[in-house]
Amino acid sequence: MLILVLNAGSSSLKFNLVDMSEEKTLADGIAERIGLSEGFIRWTIQGEKGRLELDMANHKVALSAIMDQLRDTVLPPGAEVDAVGHRVAHGGPNFGDSEVITPAVLKEIEDLAFYAPLHNPPAASGIRTAQEIFPGVPQVAVFDTAFHHSMPDYAYTYGLPYELCQKLGLRRYGFHGTSHKYVAEKTAELLGRPFDACKIIVCHLGNGSSITAVHNGRSVDTSMGLTPLEGVVMGTRSGNLDPGVLTTVMEQEQLDAAGLSALLNKKSGLLGISGVSSDCREVEEAMGKNRRARLAHEVLCYGVLKYVGAYAAAMNGVDAIVFTAGIGENSADLRAWVCDRLTYLGVKLDAEANKVRSKSGRFISTPDSRLPVAVIPTNEELMIAREAQRLTANA
Ligand code: ADP
């Protein structure tokens, strides 16, 4: 079964073509600057990198050009994709699982733009495009929020008037669900224990970051909330704040909701604190001589440390901590900062193992560490492909 995984952003379209017989990625890449000048598509197809300069008026032009490349290279003559899996950021209160896309499902995804104005409209547009280009091919929506539907009400309820929360759907939803689930499952495998019988804290740290407590295979708490703004500081997002800061800044800087949203989403986090970059690697490079870069990094590390403590408490124990995504997989500095302060939980970091770069999952704690710590590369695209297969294999 060949599954095309699509992740549509406002001006980009990421794609992966996965052969499910071996769960192998045959091709992946991204079309960028859709709807803008100087558009291009870059890809890796069966290990070969390629690039095409192409101005693309919309996602349909982009997807057609991507499919031309795939047909010229990796798709067997006459073969078509069997299903398309779409990454959709927000599933709101009703989608607790992936869904085969029907007109009603698509309408609900569009209506959920209320919660995710930056993410859901492009995802819906990606779905419509794929429906046009692959008529009759089943399409599946995989929601970033779905894995977190298992949270108990006391973990997802905000301390606001209950009726207001009901009316507006205000609650913690959480994101990166496919990544948290994939990485937690892999961690259980690495531990040699059943997924449904262990307590795992997953630290997904990338441009966007979230931390999840996975208890017996289910998400029981997660650091992102109604939107992906809550939690630890991120590349350009603020993470947690005293809500009083918001009214103060709005009043003092005469910001309206759009201005506040831009401040919190685009100008804050590592970039806002350091003034250097939103990119953790660049912040780390600068922190030897730049005090604010050092501060930004420490604020992130400290945030991760606090969530680990909180989630160990939430689960009344923890069997493994795991780091994933761009920062989690690559920043030995961050992992060491956090793990050196978790000796009370029994963590003993293996300093050498922590420095090794590897694309496979591994422990970075010593064999006698009471609490194992692992690094596991995430693979959200494979998870989306598996979901698309699960929901359409018998269609
Ligand atoms: P996204 O959330 O967009 O998927 P990624 O998971 O790719 O992002 O993570 C991007 C982040 O990973 C960036 O902040 C980048 O600097 C960071 N990163 C990548 N490599 C390293 C590295 N070697 N050291 C520190 N940070 C790194």
Side-chain angles (χ1 to χ4, degrees), residues 162-360:
Y162 191 80
E163 299 75 15
L164 181 69
C165 292
Q166 295 289 63
K167 182 174 146 205
L168 299 180
L170 307 179
R171 48 160 284 187
R172 176 181 313 289
Y173 290 98
F175 297 86
H176 296 135
T178 46
S179 174
H180 287 294
K181 186 171 181 212
Y182 174 83
V183 170
E185 278 176 0
K186 285 270 169 203
T187 307
E189 266 175 42
L190 205 61
L191 290 171
R193 295 178 54 167
F195 185 43
D196 60 3
C198 44
K199 300 170 180 176
I200 298 169
I201 298 174
V202 183
C203 305
H204 175 114
L205 309 175
N207 282 319
S209 298
S210 69
I211 301 167
T212 295
V214 183
H215 191 173
N216 296 347
R218 294 155 65 88
S219 166
V220 292
D221 204 350
T222 191
S223 59
M224 283 181 168
L226 173 77
T227 74
L229 264 176
E230 197 178 345
V232 293
V233 289
M234 304 174 217
T236 57
R237 292 183 216 145
S238 63
N240 294 336
L241 294 171
D242 170 359
V245 169
L246 307 182
T247 43
T248 304
V249 171
M250 283 180 98
E251 281 168 14
Q252 296 298 319
E253 297 291 305
Q254 270 110 50
L255 286 182
D256 59 8
L260 187 66
S261 172
L263 178 80
L264 298 173
N265 280 293
K266 304 270 180 223
K267 299 178 193 160
S268 299
L270 293 179
L271 174 67
I273 300 172
S274 71
V276 170
S277 174
S278 63
D279 190 291
C280 186
R281 198 171 4 190
E282 290 175 16
V283 169
E284 287 187 358
E285 279 159 13
M287 68 191 183
K289 42 188 181 322
N290 183 313
R291 189 182 53 83
R292 277 174 52 187
R294 158 75 51 197
L295 177 63
H297 196 259
E298 285 194 322
V299 171
L300 170 59
C301 294
Y302 184 59
V304 175
L305 179 71
K306 287 206 294 185
Y307 270 105
V308 170
Y311 289 167
M315 295 190 287
N316 192 15
V318 51
D319 298 315
I321 298 167
V322 55
F323 291 93
T324 193
I327 302 173
E329 289 166 34
N330 295 301
S331 176
D333 280 357
L334 175 138
R335 294 190 303 250
W337 197 104
V338 173
C339 290
D340 288 347
R341 289 163 179 79
L342 292 173
T343 49
Y344 77 100
L345 285 177
V347 170
K348 269 200 211 168
L349 186 71
D350 179 334
E352 288 311 308
N354 185 40
K355 284 187 202 138
V356 171
R357 285 188 177 267
S358 158
K359 288 217 179 299
S360 52

Side-chain angles (χ1 to χ4, degrees), residues 3-283:
I3 305 225
L4 183 68
V5 176
L6 294 179
N7 181 355
S10 56
S11 63
S12 68
L13 182 64
K14 283 192 195 155
F15 66 95
N16 283 65
L17 182 67
V18 187
D19 176 355
M20 294 308 287
S21 63
E22 301 169 56
E23 293 201 332
K24 185 173 169 211
T25 296
L26 301 178
D28 62 11
I30 184 167
E32 291 195 60
R33 299 188 59 81
I34 297 171
L36 304 167
S37 61
E38 295 170 25
F40 61 93
I41 307 175
R42 58 190 164 81
W43 62 80
T44 306
I45 299 182
Q46 291 184 317
E48 295 275 316
K49 289 194 189 302
R51 183 179 164 110
L52 174 71
E53 309 298 322
L54 180 70
D55 282 351
M56 297 160 282
N58 51 42
H59 284 82
K60 191 171 177 190
V61 177
L63 186 53
S64 301
I66 289 166
M67 288 312 297
D68 287 346
Q69 284 303 325
L70 297 178
R71 287 200 186 93
D72 285 350
T73 51
V74 74
L75 267 180
E80 272 302 343
V81 299
D82 297 296
V84 184
H86 296 269
R87 179 177 185 179
V88 181
H90 217 302
N94 296 327
F95 293 125
D97 198 357
S98 307
E99 292 277 344
V100 175
I101 292 164
T102 60
V105 168
L106 181 53
K107 177 167 185 318
E108 189 156 351
I109 290 171
E110 283 173 332
D111 290 347
L112 288 167
F114 168 68
Y115 298 116
L118 302 178
H119 295 104
N120 273 36
S125 140
I127 292 168
R128 287 192 188 283
T129 300
Q131 286 176 327
E132 284 175 39
I133 292 197
F134 307 108
V137 172
Q139 317 267 334
V140 172
V142 180
F143 301 96
D144 264 25
T145 47
F147 180 54
H148 302 298
H149 261 245
S150 45
M151 281 187 289
D153 54 2
Y154 55 79
Y156 69 66
T157 300
Y158 287 132
L160 290 167
Y162 191 80
E163 299 75 15
L164 181 69
C165 292
Q166 295 289 63
K167 182 174 146 205
L168 299 180
L170 307 179
R171 48 160 284 187
R172 176 181 313 289
Y173 290 98
F175 297 86
H176 296 135
T178 46
S179 174
H180 287 294
K181 186 171 181 212
Y182 174 83
V183 170
E185 278 176 0
K186 285 270 169 203
T187 307
E189 266 175 42
L190 205 61
L191 290 171
R193 295 178 54 167
F195 185 43
D196 60 3
C198 44
K199 300 170 180 176
I200 298 169
I201 298 174
V202 183
C203 305
H204 175 114
L205 309 175
N207 282 319
S209 298
S210 69
I211 301 167
T212 295
V214 183
H215 191 173
N216 296 347
R218 294 155 65 88
S219 166
V220 292
D221 204 350
T222 191
S223 59
M224 283 181 168
L226 173 77
T227 74
L229 264 176
E230 197 178 345
V232 293
V233 289
M234 304 174 217
T236 57
R237 292 183 216 145
S238 63
N240 294 336
L241 294 171
D242 170 359
V245 169
L246 307 182
T247 43
T248 304
V249 171
M250 283 180 98
E251 281 168 14
Q252 296 298 319
E253 297 291 305
Q254 270 110 50
L255 286 182
D256 59 8
L260 187 66
S261 172
L263 178 80
L264 298 173
N265 280 293
K266 304 270 180 223
K267 299 178 193 160
S268 299
L270 293 179
L271 174 67
I273 300 172
S274 71
V276 170
S277 174
S278 63
D279 190 291
C280 186
R281 198 171 4 190
E282 290 175 16
V283 169

